[in-house]
Structure formats: structure tokens, C-alpha cells
């Protein structure tokens, strides 16, 4: 048996650049939130053409602060898609509010607007549309179908650098949050960013992420009045990013454009090479949308596939190719199922995506040879040639 190369589902694009970048904070000793974080925020906001960007410990914590700043309180309802990463719903629970699950459209994996309309009530305070796998949810259209007082918090965890109708992800909603977990487009190990056009939201989140303090550590440290300690008028959190992470982030930002353009090429290669497999439904990018391809997520058509999805995934795993379900249907996960007594068929399309989606390897360390090998192995699964 030949020694199989393992083709990972995802792998961060890190190099000696990031290694060099972290030397600075380590040498000068300022390792918590400081100048590096400010520079990372500037770089992120310049790229995404957003007035304000605030780094946090993760996208989850950025979402939490976003909901607080948008005024979500116990008794409120927040509409979230079911087919997403669990954080999108968890942050609603952190605020003591109720997540209301809406279904998704399997052709985009994003919110199904007809179902959103059905889920709106007088208690709806915020909607969290998710730009899943790097494809933007059409927030302009969403804005048109919801009441004016309902706020939009974009979950752009997978969508650094994604665009639609020439708007970057995060530029239409009241606020937006991004993730720098290693499975996302760029990484800082763990890390997140909140972007907004609102000075008011910006000012509030500056305090919220720093224990509620009226001034930051850096302001105190470098300021002329050593006797002044911050005032704490609100309940805050420690959701600060470190300068070590931000140094990595600055380095990653320099590569964001090239990271995405290479991902586009890889996705185009898959879409071309896999197009005539009748049991594999490939992801499509609607006109005027620019996909960042955080993941390349297919659907294994249960009626036509040569075997069950899980068997196909196992077969590919044996050939050294990692695959994963796109994500989960959060309404079917224990905590939510039990707490809200939701049936799996209440959101049938989310359930369908959960059970039939299959992400195949796509990351910036793959070679054309790797991609060709993935294509060959998937083609060999075809029922006519090779019964599983
Ligand atoms: C990854 C992800 C998150 C959470 O991001 P973290 O930075 O790991 O907290 C939230 N929402 C979606 C859609 C994600 O994919």
C-alpha cells in the first residue's frame, strides 16, 4: 500500500511572516491589547471600507457584545438561521433572550426569507443573518422585508473579504462580526472583529470588551495622569485580543486579497471538474456576489448518490481526503432541542443540509496535484464505475 498523503479539510496559511511578526510584542513586552491591536483594526477597517473595527477574543464574543450594544435583553427574540455554527444561537442565550430558528435555502445555505417573515413577531429585536461558508446573505433584500425597528447583526465569521453588489460583508447591517479561528479565511489562533458604521456602538463596545472601563489600559499607561483609574458605569467583560494575536492578524491582512483570489481559483477548478457528477450538487455563486470560499460545501443527493453520504465520507477518508458535514442544524442539538422542544422536521431544509452536506478540502496550502487527486477520488465513487 502506498503511503497516503493526508489532504486536510482546512489548514491556516501561516509562514515565516507571522513568526517574525510576533517578535515585536514579545521583545517590547506589551502583549495585551495595545498598539498592535489598534493597527490590526485599522488594517481591517481600511480593507473592508468600514469606519470602525474592534478586535475581540473571538467571533462568538464579538457577537455577544454586538447583541448587548443593540439592546437585546431578556424577553426579546432574535432570529437566527438553524444551519450555522452553534455560536450564532448561543450568544442570544448569553443575553437571556430567545433564539428563534429560521430555515435556510439549500441553494445558498443562507437564510430563507419566506421563513424569516413567518418568524417575525412584536418581540423580534435583532436578526443575525449568517454569510455561511463565505457567501453573503442578501442583507439589502433582508432589510426590505423586516420592520424598521428590527436591527441586523451580520455573522460574517466566514466572510472576511466577501462582497455582494460591491459591498463588503459587514457594510450593510447595524454591526457585523468576523472570526479568525484557524478554519476561517485568515487566522490569529483565536480572535474576532466587530465592525460598525455607528460611533455610538463603537464607543459602547470599546468599554464592553474591556471590563466596562471608561478608558483603556494603553490610554492609562501612556497618559499624563497616573493617579486616574477608570470609571466603571456598565457591566463589561474581558474580551480583549492580545497584541501577539494582532501581530499575526496584521501579517494575515497583507495576504487576504491573495488568499481569496487563490481560493476562488480552487473553487472554480472544483466546479468545473466535478460538474458532470449527477449525484453531487455543487455550490453556486449568485450573480453580483463575490464568494470568499471559507469552505467548498457540496450536497450529496440522497436519491442519486452511489452510497450514503457518511459512507462516501468514510471512503474518501480512507483515501487520505478529509471531508466534513457543512455544519449542523442547531435546532437539532441537545441544548436547544430540549429547552425549546423543537422537532427536527420543524426546519426541514436545515435538517436536509445538515444530513446531506459535504465540505471537501479547500485551503491555501493545497497544490493543483492535491485538487486533482480529490477530484479523481470523488469521480471514482461513481456508481457505474465503482460500486461502494
Ligand atoms: C466559526 C463561526 C463562529 C464562531 O467563531 P469563533 O471565532 O470561533 O468564536 C460563529 N458563526 C459562524 C457562522 C462561524 O462559522
Amino acid at each position: 500500500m502506498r503511503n497516503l498523503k493526508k489532504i486536510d479539510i482546512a489548514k491556516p496559511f501561516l509562514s515565516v511572516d507571522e513568526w517574525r511578526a510576533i517578535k515585536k510584542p514579545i521583545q517590547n513586552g506589551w502583549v495585551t491589547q495595545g498598539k498592535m491591536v489598534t493597527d490590526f483594526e485599522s488594517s481591517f477597517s481600511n480593507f473592508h471600507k468600514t469606519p470602525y473595527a474592534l478586535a475581540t477574543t473571538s467571533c462568538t464574543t464579538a457577537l455577544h457584545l454586538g447583541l448587548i450594544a443593540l439592546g437585546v435583553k431578556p424577553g426579546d427574540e432574535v432570529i437566527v438561521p438553524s444551519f450555522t455554527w452553534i455560536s450564532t444561537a448561543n450568544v442570544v442565550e448569553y443575553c437571556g433572550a430567545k433564539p428563534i430558528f429560521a430555515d435556510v435555502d439549500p441553494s445558498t445555505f443562507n437564510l430563507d426569507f419566506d421563513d424569516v417573515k413567518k418568524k417575525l413577531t412584536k418581540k423580534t429585536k435583532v436578526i443575525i443573518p449568517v454569510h455561511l461558508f463565505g457567501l453573503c446573505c442578501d442583507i439589502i433584500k433582508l432589510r426590505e422585508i423586516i420592520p424598521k425597528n428590527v436591527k441586523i447583526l451580520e455573522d460574517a465569521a466566514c466572510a472576511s473579504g466577501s462582497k455582494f453588489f460591491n459591498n463588503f460583508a459587514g457594510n450593510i447591517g447595524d454591526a457585523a462580526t468576523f472570526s479568525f479561528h484557524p478554519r476561517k479565511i485568515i487566522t490569529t489562533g483565536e480572535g474576532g472583529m466587530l465592525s460598525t458604521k455607528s460611533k455610538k456602538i463603537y464607543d459602547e463596545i470599546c468599554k464592553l470588551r474591556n471590563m466596562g472601563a471608561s478608558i483603556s489600559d494603553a490610554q492609562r499607561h501612556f497618559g499624563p495622569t497616573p493617579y486616574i483609574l477608570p470609571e466603571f458605569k456598565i457591566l463589561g467583560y474581558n474580551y480583549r485580543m492580545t497584541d501577539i494575536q494582532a501581530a499575526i492578524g496584521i501579517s494575515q491582512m497583507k495576504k487576504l486579497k491573495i488568499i481569496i483570489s487563490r481560493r476562488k481559483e480552487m473553487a472554480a477548478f472544483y466546479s468545473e471538474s466535478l460538474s458532470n457528477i449527477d449525484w453531487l450538487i455543487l455550490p453556486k455563486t449568485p450573480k453580483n456576489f463575490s464568494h470568499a470560499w471559507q469552505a467548498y460545501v457540496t450536497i450529496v443527493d440522497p436519491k442519486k448518490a452511489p452510497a450514503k453520504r457518511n459512507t462516501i465520507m468514510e471512503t474518501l477518508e480512507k483515501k487520505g481526503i478529509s471531508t466534513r458535514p457543512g455544519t449542523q442544524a442547531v435546532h437539532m442539538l441537545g441544548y436547544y432541542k430540549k429547552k425549546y422542544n423543537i422537532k427536527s422536521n420543524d426546519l426541514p431544509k436545515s435538517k436536509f443540509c445538515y444530513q446531506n452536506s459535504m465540505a471537501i478540502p479547500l485551503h491555501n496550502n493545497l497544490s493543483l496535484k492535491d485538487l486533482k487527486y480529490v477530484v479523481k477520488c470523488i469521480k471514482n465513487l461513481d456508481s457505474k464505475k465503482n460500486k461502494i
Side-chain angles (χ1 to χ4, degrees):
M1 214 178 109
R2 81 185 177 92
N3 210 351
L4 276 177
K5 184 180 171 186
K6 179 104 175 99
I7 302 185
D8 296 308
I9 185 77
K11 199 174 176 189
F13 193 49
L14 296 166
S15 71
V16 68
D17 299 334
E18 286 74 16
W19 183 239
R20 284 204 189 102
I22 61 171
K23 258 177 92 172
K24 200 171 160 189
I26 289 172
Q27 276 175 343
N28 75 21
W30 190 282
V31 285
T32 184
Q33 181 189 304
K35 179 155 186 326
M36 288 278 163
V37 166
T38 308
D39 289 351
F40 179 36
E41 290 168 344
S42 305
S43 161
F44 193 89
S45 62
N46 286 339
F47 188 99
H48 291 86
K49 300 190 171 28
T50 175
Y52 303 108
L54 286 140
T56 56
T57 49
S58 69
C59 181
T60 306
T61 54
L63 282 167
H64 183 197
L65 298 185
L67 287 183
I68 297 171
L70 293 174
V72 172
K73 297 200 166 64
D76 292 333
E77 292 180 355
V78 176
I79 297 178
V80 300
S82 167
F83 189 60
T84 181
W85 181 241
I86 192 166
S87 308
T88 320
N90 282 355
V91 292
V92 181
E93 293 283 318
Y94 298 168
C95 296
K98 185 179 180 188
I100 304 291
F101 294 102
D103 221 345
V104 296
D105 174 352
S107 73
T108 59
F109 298 120
N110 286 330
L111 273 175
D112 171 347
F113 291 159
D114 289 333
D115 203 41
V116 169
K117 278 189 225 163
K118 286 184 205 147
K119 303 286 160 76
L120 286 162
T121 71
K122 281 203 188 78
K123 291 183 186 164
T124 311
K125 187 95 176 215
V126 172
I127 297 184
I128 310 182
V130 176
H131 305 312
L132 205 59
F133 311 132
L135 177 67
C136 285
C137 173
D138 191 344
I139 314 283
I140 298 173
K141 209 159 151 195
L142 178 66
R143 187 79 266 172
E144 285 165 9
I145 63 155
I146 60 172
K148 278 211 169 56
N149 62 324
V150 175
K151 300 274 192 275
I152 295 178
L153 177 59
E154 299 178 45
D155 181 346
C158 313
S160 293
S162 300
K163 279 177 163 179
F164 69 118
F165 294 96
N166 264 329
N167 301 291
F168 275 105
N171 284 5
I172 307 287
D174 295 283
T177 61
F178 298 82
S179 172
F180 309 125
H181 179 273
R183 277 207 61 185
K184 308 302 158 89
I185 309 268
I186 54 169
T187 190
T188 58
E190 298 283 352
M193 190 75 80
L194 181 139
S195 74
T196 180
K197 289 192 282 286
S198 157
K199 173 84 165 55
K200 194 167 154 259
I201 291 176
Y202 171 80
D203 285 341
E204 182 160 9
I205 291 182
C206 276
K207 294 182 203 130
L208 282 170
R209 74 168 167 184
N210 184 29
M211 325 273 191
S214 55
I215 54 170
S216 73
D217 293 352
Q219 277 169 302
R220 280 202 297 123
H221 188 79
F222 298 111
T225 47
Y227 46 85
I228 291 189
L229 287 177
E231 169 65 291
F232 296 90
K233 289 185 188 148
I234 55 171
L235 177 68
Y237 302 82
N238 179 356
Y239 286 171
R240 294 182 307 240
M241 178 180 270
T242 68
D243 260 22
I244 304 172
Q245 292 168 302
I248 299 173
I250 292 165
S251 181
Q252 290 269 289
M253 277 309 295
K254 292 182 188 148
K255 304 174 185 172
L256 179 53
K257 218 171 157 181
I258 182 92
I259 284 176
I260 293 177
S261 69
R262 181 77 188 104
R263 280 172 180 260
K264 281 189 172 145
E265 285 167 21
M266 288 190 273
F269 179 81
Y270 276 149
S271 294
E272 164 106 39
S273 313
L274 299 169
S275 64
N276 49 15
I277 300 178
D278 69 341
W279 53 267
L280 195 66
I281 304 167
L282 305 179
K284 283 176 201 66
T285 311
K287 206 168 160 251
N288 296 317
F289 284 65
S290 174
H291 205 311
W293 298 107
Q294 180 263 332
Y296 190 92
V297 182
T298 66
I299 297 230
V300 176
D301 186 335
K303 294 200 193 85
K304 296 184 190 158
K308 285 204 166 66
R309 181 202 60 176
N310 291 358
T311 311
I312 288 176
M313 292 173 76
E314 277 169 15
T315 309
L316 291 171
E317 190 67 38
K318 281 186 201 133
K319 294 187 187 295
I321 299 170
S322 292
T323 60
R324 294 283 184 279
T327 185
Q328 289 167 295
V330 178
H331 77 282
M332 291 167 67
L333 302 176
Y335 176 83
Y336 291 99
K337 196 167 82 178
K338 185 153 175 254
K339 180 162 181 183
Y340 296 110
N341 191 24
I342 316 172
K343 304 274 172 294
S344 67
N345 284 331
D346 289 350
L347 296 127
K349 291 186 275 187
S350 297
K351 180 184 175 188
F352 175 85
C353 292
Y354 175 28
Q355 292 179 335
N356 298 292
S357 58
M358 177 174 79
I360 61 175
L362 194 152
H363 57 79
N364 290 82
N365 300 288
L366 292 175
S367 64
L368 183 59
K369 201 168 150 227
D370 295 330
L371 297 182
K372 283 184 173 162
Y373 178 68
V374 173
V375 168
K376 188 180 105 189
C377 291
I378 293 176
K379 282 193 166 162
N380 281 347
L381 293 165
D382 208 316
S383 54
K384 282 152 246 154
K385 292 179 212 137
N386 184 0
K387 267 242 163 337
I388 294 180

